[in-house]
Amino acid sequence: MSDLLAGLNPEQQAAVKAADGPVLIFAGAGSGKTRVLTHRIAYLIQEKQIPPYQILAVTFTNKAAGEMRDRIRELAGDNHGQINVGTFHSISARILRREAESLGYSRYFTIYDDDDGLRVIKQIFKDKNLPTDQVPPKGVFYTIKNYKNQMIGPDELVDQPFFFRGGIDLVEVYRLYERRLKQSNAMDFDDLLLKPIELFKNNPAILKLYQSRFRYILVDEYQDTNRAQFQMVKLLSEVHQNLCVVGDDDQSIYGWRGADIRNILDFQDAFPKAQIFKLERNYRSTKTIVTAASAVVGNNRDRATKQLWTEAEQGDPITVLHASDDQHEARLIADKLLEISQQSELTFSDMAILYRTNAQSRALEERLRDYGIPYQLVGGTKFYDRKEVKDSLAYLRIIQNPADDVSVARVLNTPPRGIGKTSELRLASFALDEDISLFEALKRVDETAVGTGPGNRVKDFVTLIEKHGARLAESDLGDWVQAYLIETGLIQQYQAEDSEEAESRIENIYELINGIREFQGRHEEPTLEAFLEEVALLTDVDKLTDDRRQVTLMTCHSAKGLEFPIVFLAGLEEGLFPLIRQTDGDGDLEEERRLFYVGLTRAEKRAFISYCSARQRYGETLLAKPSRFISEIPMDLMEMSTAKVLGDEQPVTTGTNRRGKIMSERKQSPFVAKRIKPEEAVDYAVGQTVEHAYFGRGRIMAITGSGGDSKLTILFAGNQQKKIIARYAKLKIITK
């Protein structure tokens, strides 16, 4: 055991050895939580003699699950056995594949992503002739998702009537949505978490089976669990109570998608006999970064008492970049990236630019391209979301699950095969009237009102699907996919277009085929079912590569769990980061503060923070002031770049925070902008030449509205068109 615990600090060792009963491990950023988790599993196998198959380890990304498996293999050697390691969704899908029939599904059910789910809602709108001009189907779809996330089904909403504009009954649409999924032998992502709970509650014998199998359960990133995930692990651990959860409430940043911070903060209420350990030593970042991040998140009231610390060197101060606008900000960041790459041994792959919203990436990407700096964008258009790839996957999904109406409808006339919209509507209507799947309706096309010509082409489509479905079992998976996709006509369709875009689409289809061949190499018994499930459960971070010398661009949310020597946090302005409105409560601000903490603690050696005086948002130029988070960083931990500083230095202050804890004496950051005061009324007119402090000279092209609230459209040098509210414009009139 001494070898297994060697290299662990006392707190980590204690957490590893507390093998039995409920355990909560608070693991601060960079405190070695994955190390503790993997050593704990190895300890269970080697010291407690627990059979590996009785251990269940759950995390949130496939990438993290893969890393965990590799580390366990290194620690436990040949004894690692068949440990159950995976994400909540993949573990749930595995259980549901085995037990699907108990829920009225086939084990070959399809997993629908949000795009597929939205297609179902759109079809319901079409079938029920619901008005899309007043209420977009997308709004209804995400309302349903929100209720499912809270474990609220349509039956629970009966006593709470909810009607959208145009008389659209949410309960009716919700019920139809659930019914359509069941008829299509499909589950959406929310179902993957909800159905196991339904399975266990309705089938005590099945629950007992899995409780007996999973005697020791470990959950990573527990602060990100939602109500359904909490219920699932609670049910599975009820008998043995050997539940170990690891997380950090200061890194709970997914409340907007259902994560409940109370799961970790109230763990001891749910499990009164729980042992609690705190890992507070950071092994990742410099003292500067750790102290700055702790100072900011320490302003939150709803958090467990703990203090992150490190024995690392002090490190460089955090550099604050002040830009005039988002274009200037992108240039400043690009300059710094080049400077660091030329003056140190670090490469571009050691650097990341993090931001609050995906929209911020545009200006950054443009400048990086101008500077010739290679980059990878995480969270942009994903490979598996591209049209030609989704079309190809739809063809594959039909083979696995012919009842998948969404996939059948997607490719019935893709590529075009002469089956018009009228024929499609008649087929869909027939399927609805007969209460059968769309593919079954295609097989019975002679019974429909579809004409002879389109009907024959429908029969050809059915023959294509059935022919390749029959060949699958006896074929090499990669060879079968290639032959099948070629015969669908997708590749020939793009070859006929003879354009760069079409060539790119062909490459993507072949890249999908290559991906399937790689999948074959990674699995002893590769199946189409397993490949489609793996693709359905992939996340952005799972596809992140670190073997190329390129800067990584991503949101702070996507950066969770990653680390880089150099990190840039862009767009630190009020209203953007924190992204809050006047109607938001303290809880929203606290989550934004936790998000900043996550972003800053991704940095190992140096951190840069940038903000603008004006930013293009919502199609117009808006004046901005620095984020309050900058003012919450001790002044002696920051250095200002040579850019102009907004605001005045504040006097030294001493006081207490909202929890009554005495705060160390420090100066407030000088980056708190002066409140923008409305200027006196100025008579602006179209055609005037004016001068702006940042954008230079320009000509007023249009004025909408009146008085101080009117918007001025101004064309500045370089053909830059800006929209500025008159009362805040502070323009100098050059010519009348």
Side-chain angles (χ1 to χ4, degrees):
M1 187 176 75
S2 58
D3 291 341
L4 184 60
L5 298 180
L8 299 180
N9 65 38
E11 293 77 18
Q12 291 173 331
Q13 289 183 18
V16 166
K17 291 190 291 183
D20 297 314
V23 171
L24 166 60
I25 303 173
F26 281 110
S31 63
K33 69 178 178 64
T34 304
R35 185 177 177 82
V36 169
L37 269 174
T38 51
H39 278 71
R40 185 180 170 88
I41 292 171
Y43 179 83
L44 289 173
I45 296 170
Q46 294 183 351
E47 301 299 323
K48 300 286 290 183
Q49 299 297 304
I50 304 300
Y53 66 84
Q54 291 191 331
I55 300 172
L56 172 64
V58 189
T59 186
F60 271 77
T61 67
N62 292 299
K63 186 182 179 73
E67 290 172 355
M68 191 178 292
R69 282 192 205 94
D70 292 341
R71 291 203 197 185
I72 293 168
R73 191 176 295 112
E74 290 175 8
L75 290 170
D78 294 335
N79 295 325
H80 75 278
Q82 295 299 314
I83 299 173
N84 301 281
V85 182
T87 66
F88 269 104
H89 288 89
S90 66
I91 295 293
S92 295
R94 208 176 304 165
I95 293 172
L96 291 169
R97 293 283 181 208
R98 294 193 188 103
E99 314 296 343
E101 291 183 3
S102 296
L103 291 168
Y105 289 81
S106 155
R107 62 163 294 180
Y108 299 107
F109 63 82
T110 299
I111 299 172
Y112 278 3
D113 61 17
D114 284 356
D115 183 52
D116 298 321
L118 181 54
R119 282 174 175 265
V120 174
I121 295 294
K122 286 179 177 178
Q123 188 60 49
I124 290 171
F125 267 62
K126 189 180 294 184
D127 293 341
K128 304 293 289 185
N129 198 27
L130 300 177
T132 58
D133 55 335
Q134 297 186 51
V135 180
K138 193 172 186 178
V140 177
F141 173 64
Y142 281 103
T143 300
I144 290 172
K145 275 187 66 67
N146 183 52
Y147 278 119
K148 291 187 77 167
N149 205 268
Q150 299 174 59
M151 298 181 68
I152 299 174
D155 292 341
E156 287 79 25
L157 290 175
V158 172
D159 296 330
Q160 309 171 44
F162 189 119
F163 289 89
F164 293 96
R165 285 175 301 181
I168 297 175
D169 183 350
L170 173 66
V171 172
E172 180 187 13
V173 177
Y174 193 170
R175 278 184 172 148
L176 282 171
Y177 174 74
E178 295 290 273
R179 192 181 307 154
R180 294 282 174 93
L181 258 62
K182 187 75 174 285
Q183 289 173 336
S184 296
N185 192 35
M187 298 185 195
D188 61 21
F189 283 131
D190 297 309
D191 286 329
L192 291 182
L193 301 179
L194 296 174
K195 294 298 181 183
I197 298 171
E198 179 185 335
L199 173 74
F200 294 150
K201 288 186 174 180
N202 295 337
N203 300 272
I206 293 177
L207 172 60
K208 187 176 180 180
L209 173 69
Y210 285 97
Q211 287 173 333
S212 175
R213 177 170 184 180
F214 301 138
R215 287 179 54 205
Y216 287 82
I217 301 173
L218 302 92
V219 182
D220 192 13
E221 304 287 5
Y222 188 68
Q223 76 281 347
D224 293 331
T225 53
N226 61 19
R227 184 181 175 190
Q229 289 160 335
F230 167 77
Q231 290 285 345
M232 182 176 172
V233 295
K234 195 169 190 301
L235 283 168
L236 288 172
S237 63
E238 265 180 348
V239 174
H240 299 289
Q241 291 281 300
N242 296 323
L243 172 64
C244 173
V245 302
V246 184
D248 180 10
D249 55 301
D250 285 336
Q251 298 185 71
S252 178
I253 58 174
Y254 295 110
W256 51 277
R257 70 181 188 196
D260 188 352
I261 194 174
R262 303 314 314 176
N263 286 349
I264 190 168
L265 293 178
D266 297 340
F267 185 81
Q268 204 162 20
D269 293 338
F271 300 91
K273 295 181 180 179
Q275 299 181 70
I276 298 179
F277 301 90
K278 295 180 181 179
L279 308 181
E280 299 170 294
R281 181 179 176 182
N282 177 284
Y283 290 91
R284 176 190 301 153
S285 309
T286 64
K287 270 195 178 75
T288 293
I289 293 166
V290 169
T291 306
S294 298
V296 174
V297 82
N299 288 290
N300 278 354
R301 288 180 295 185
D302 200 10
R303 64 188 293 264
T305 304
K306 54 190 177 301
Q307 181 64 50
L308 200 65
W309 62 279
T310 183
E311 290 185 351
E313 62 181 4
Q314 185 65 41
D316 294 323
I318 296 168
T319 301
V320 181
L321 306 173
H322 173 196
S324 57
D325 60 13
D326 42 353
Q327 296 293 327
H328 184 208
E329 176 187 48
R331 289 196 298 275
L332 289 176
I333 291 174
D335 284 337
K336 286 292 182 185
L337 290 169
L338 284 177
E339 179 184 316
I340 294 168
S341 69
Q342 293 168 357
Q343 296 179 0
S344 71
E345 296 180 355
L346 297 174
T347 67
F348 287 131
S349 60
D350 297 316
M351 309 177 204
I353 306 173
L354 311 182
Y355 34 78
R356 180 61 184 81
T357 67
N358 278 309
Q360 291 172 252
S361 73
R362 183 192 58 80
L364 293 163
E365 287 187 78
E366 288 176 355
R367 294 291 78 75
L368 294 181
R369 285 197 294 268
D370 289 345
Y371 278 60
I373 297 175
Y375 67 89
Q376 62 174 331
L377 180 67
V378 177
T381 302
K382 308 166 196 171
F383 176 78
Y384 289 104
D385 281 349
R386 293 178 173 126
K387 180 186 182 303
E388 63 278 9
V389 176
K390 292 209 77 166
D391 289 343
S392 299
L393 289 172
Y395 273 107
L396 301 182
R397 283 163 51 166
I398 296 169
I399 297 293
Q400 179 194 324
N401 176 22
D404 181 355
D405 286 357
V406 167
S407 294
V408 173
R410 182 182 184 100
V411 297
L412 177 58
N413 201 39
T414 302
R417 49 175 56 92
I419 304 171
K421 289 293 182 185
T422 301
S423 297
E424 290 182 25
L425 287 172
R426 287 173 177 168
L427 288 162
S429 179
F430 179 75
L432 201 60
D433 292 341
E434 295 291 314
D435 195 23
I436 57 177
S437 71
L438 181 56
F439 191 74
E440 191 63 31
L442 302 186
K443 292 164 68 175
R444 294 168 57 183
V445 66
D446 288 338
E447 301 175 42
T448 71
V450 173
T452 304
N456 287 334
R457 289 185 280 274
V458 167
K459 292 176 183 177
D460 290 341
F461 176 81
V462 170
T463 300
L464 169 74
I465 303 301
E466 292 183 333
K467 179 178 78 173
H468 286 280
R471 290 177 176 174
L472 174 59
E474 301 173 356
S475 306
D476 172 86
L477 182 60
D479 292 343
W480 174 85
V481 168
Q482 181 164 330
Y484 177 31
L485 292 183
I486 287 174
E487 194 167 341
T488 64
L490 285 173
I491 294 173
Q492 294 91 321
Q493 169 192 229
Y494 295 122
Q495 287 174 333
E497 290 182 19
D498 193 24
S499 66
E500 281 189 26
E501 181 183 359
E503 186 63 32
S504 176
R505 292 186 186 278
I506 293 171
E507 288 177 8
N508 286 335
I509 294 174
Y510 277 108
E511 185 58 32
L512 173 64
I513 297 169
N514 292 338
I516 291 170
R517 295 192 188 281
E518 288 176 9
F519 171 83
Q520 285 181 275
R522 288 186 279 111
H523 294 76
E524 291 182 9
E525 296 182 8
T527 64
L528 178 62
E529 171 193 332
F531 172 75
L532 291 174
E533 182 171 305
E534 181 175 291
V535 168
L537 300 178
L538 277 177
T539 67
D540 292 339
V541 175
D542 292 327
K543 298 186 282 290
L544 179 65
T545 61
D546 54 10
D547 58 344
R548 300 178 186 174
R549 297 192 173 189
Q550 50 191 0
V551 177
T552 300
L553 275 67
M554 65 173 78
T555 65
C556 286
H557 283 102
S558 296
K560 179 82 177 301
L562 303 176
E563 54 190 49
F564 301 88
I566 308 293
V567 168
F568 290 80
L569 284 170
L572 264 292
E573 296 136 30
E574 285 295 302
L576 180 57
F577 203 175
L579 186 63
I580 54 173
R581 303 170 293 276
Q582 289 182 342
T583 55
D584 289 334
D586 289 344
D588 299 287
L589 174 59
E590 295 208 348
E591 178 152 324
E592 290 290 308
R593 192 175 274 117
R594 293 193 294 268
L595 184 59
F596 176 79
Y597 172 84
V598 166
L600 188 56
T601 54
R602 299 311 94 196
E604 298 172 347
K605 299 179 181 297
R606 289 193 68 183
F608 295 81
I609 293 173
S610 62
Y611 71 95
C612 303
S613 296
R615 182 176 294 275
Q616 281 278 346
R617 294 186 73 193
Y618 312 117
E620 58 186 25
T621 299
L622 302 176
L623 296 183
K625 62 179 181 179
S627 167
R628 69 190 73 190
F629 299 156
I630 303 179
S631 70
E632 292 174 357
I633 298 175
M635 227 185 114
D636 59 348
L637 299 179
M638 294 185 290
E639 67 175 7
M640 191 66 185
S641 72
T642 54
K644 179 181 176 182
V645 177
L646 278 182
D648 299 321
E649 187 169 321
Q650 301 297 312
V652 174
T653 59
T654 308
T656 59
N657 65 11
R658 287 177 288 184
R659 295 183 304 282
K661 181 180 176 182
I662 296 176
M663 301 174 70
S664 58
E665 182 171 329
R666 73 179 195 199
K667 292 182 180 180
Q668 188 177 5
S669 168
F671 311 121
V672 181
K674 294 178 180 177
R675 187 177 297 278
I676 301 173
K677 297 179 181 178
E679 60 181 26
E680 298 298 321
V682 178
D683 291 328
Y684 293 118
V686 173
Q688 286 178 336
T689 299
V690 294
E691 188 169 44
H692 188 274
Y694 297 112
F695 304 127
R697 292 197 176 188
R699 182 180 296 276
I700 297 177
M701 307 301 292
I703 300 176
T704 56
S706 60
D709 293 326
S710 62
K711 287 183 182 178
L712 312 177
T713 301
I714 307 172
L715 186 65
F716 290 100
N719 204 32
Q720 294 186 80
Q721 184 169 294
K722 308 290 182 183
K723 291 184 179 180
I724 304 176
I725 298 174
R727 71 170 66 248
Y728 299 117
K730 296 189 179 297
L731 298 171
K732 179 181 178 181
I733 298 176
I734 305 301
T735 59
K736 299 286 185 180

